[in-house]
Amino acid sequence: MEKGHALITGASQGLGRAFALDLAGRGYGVVLVARSREKLDTVAKACAALNGGRATAIECDLTAHGAVATLVQQVGSIGAPIEVLVNNAGEAIWGLFQDKPLEDHQRMMTLNMAVPVELTYRLLPSLRQNKNSYVLNVGSMAGYNAMATLGTYSGSKAFVLRWSRSLRLENRGTGLHVCCVCPGSVITGFTERAGMQVMDDLAKKFGKPPEPIAKAALNALFKGRAEVVPGALDGLTAWVMGLLPTGLVERIASGIYLKRLPPRS
């Protein structure tokens, strides 16, 4: 029996691209959503080669007013019943809170929190019509503790984790399975997009490529797990952080980032 479709946001690069290719390889049709048309088309072509041509690319700025509602209408019009939703799109800004424009904080909160909430809300009725359906939310290890210089980002990812686990509890027994993946550093160009190039040495030393992260996340989703930190080292780190006093973990983690800040002019 042919599998349904998976909708992946932020699918043009990095972790989103890895999710798309992995799901296509598992036999799902894919609906790919991102802002970059050229990159989306490239990913769609690669997915189509894996799943018999069942790949649709939708160019969309999810932070634009009414964009999520329009996206859901488009998905309905192409006749692609969604069985898997991957809320992957997100961004970060790095620096002291007051040094960054308010508009940047607001945009990030919209993309990281409001967009996955609205998209899930609008797709939930159709998702629950399936015998089994799946929602994967992309959090971050940064969501486990407060972090200076990444306050709004870590706060947004803490929200994603708590909301995800709550949604899972509310839908227990309905056939809707919800999982949150909380990766550590992933080599996706994240530091450049977040303005964190001074952290590149650490990202290259400790970062993981997106493909094994996506595979581990999807395996956890389909096994019915509530939460996963991919990778042995990151999993161990998260476990140790949970044993230590919160204030100590916050000071250690924040110190790593604070000392990398450029001098204030």
Side-chain angles (χ1 to χ4, degrees):
M1 182 178 178
E2 188 176 72
K3 292 183 178 179
H5 285 74
L7 189 156
I8 305 102
T9 64
S12 62
Q13 61 185 339
L15 199 51
R17 176 181 180 275
F19 281 130
L21 291 170
D22 192 302
L23 285 161
R26 296 177 193 235
Y28 285 94
V30 292
V31 178
L32 314 174
V33 181
R35 289 181 297 174
S36 173
R37 183 80 217 185
E38 184 176 354
K39 291 181 179 179
L40 268 181
D41 287 341
T42 300
V43 178
K45 183 177 180 180
C47 288
L50 296 172
N51 66 5
R54 301 169 66 219
T56 301
I58 300 178
E59 182 181 0
C60 177
D61 178 0
L62 290 167
T63 64
H65 179 71
V68 174
T70 300
L71 170 63
V72 172
Q73 290 176 349
Q74 287 180 277
V75 172
S77 68
I78 62 177
I82 303 300
E83 289 184 12
V84 181
L85 170 61
V86 181
N87 286 310
N88 167 74
E91 64 182 20
I93 51 175
W94 179 62
L96 297 179
F97 175 76
Q98 69 272 23
D99 289 349
K100 298 298 177 179
L102 177 59
E103 293 77 10
D104 289 356
H105 290 290
Q106 291 173 321
R107 176 184 171 84
M108 187 183 67
M109 289 190 293
T110 296
L111 185 60
N112 292 8
M113 295 187 290
V115 165
V117 167
E118 182 181 355
L119 185 56
T120 303
Y121 186 90
R122 291 184 180 277
L123 288 176
L124 203 57
S126 59
L127 283 168
R128 291 183 61 174
Q129 290 179 7
N130 302 312
K131 182 178 180 180
N132 287 288
S133 53
Y134 304 87
V135 176
L136 179 63
N137 295 315
V138 178
S140 169
M141 285 183 67
Y144 287 131
N145 292 282
M147 294 183 68
T149 74
L150 285 168
T152 311
Y153 175 75
S154 65
S156 72
K157 292 303 182 178
F159 167 82
V160 169
L161 175 59
R162 298 305 172 206
W163 167 66
S164 182
R165 293 187 68 99
S166 299
L167 190 64
R168 179 176 183 270
L169 290 170
E170 291 182 8
N171 287 276
R172 181 174 290 175
T174 67
L176 178 67
H177 308 274
V178 184
C179 179
C180 185
V181 57
C182 299
S185 180
V186 187
I187 303 172
T188 62
F190 175 88
T191 54
E192 180 179 355
R193 292 193 298 274
M196 298 171 63
Q197 290 90 334
V198 294
M199 304 295 293
D200 278 349
D201 58 331
L202 294 178
K204 291 175 182 177
K205 184 176 181 180
F206 296 106
K208 306 293 188 301
E211 291 78 13
I213 303 298
K215 182 178 181 179
L218 291 170
N219 286 344
L221 173 68
F222 293 130
K223 288 178 181 177
R225 293 181 60 184
E227 182 180 337
V228 61
V229 179
L233 180 59
D234 286 339
L236 177 62
T237 300
W239 179 76
V240 171
M241 287 194 308
L243 298 177
L244 295 174
T246 300
L248 176 62
V249 175
E250 291 174 349
R251 288 193 297 273
I252 293 173
S254 295
I256 294 171
Y257 290 92
L258 284 167
K259 69 181 182 181
R260 295 292 185 108
L261 282 175
R264 301 183 73 178
S265 56

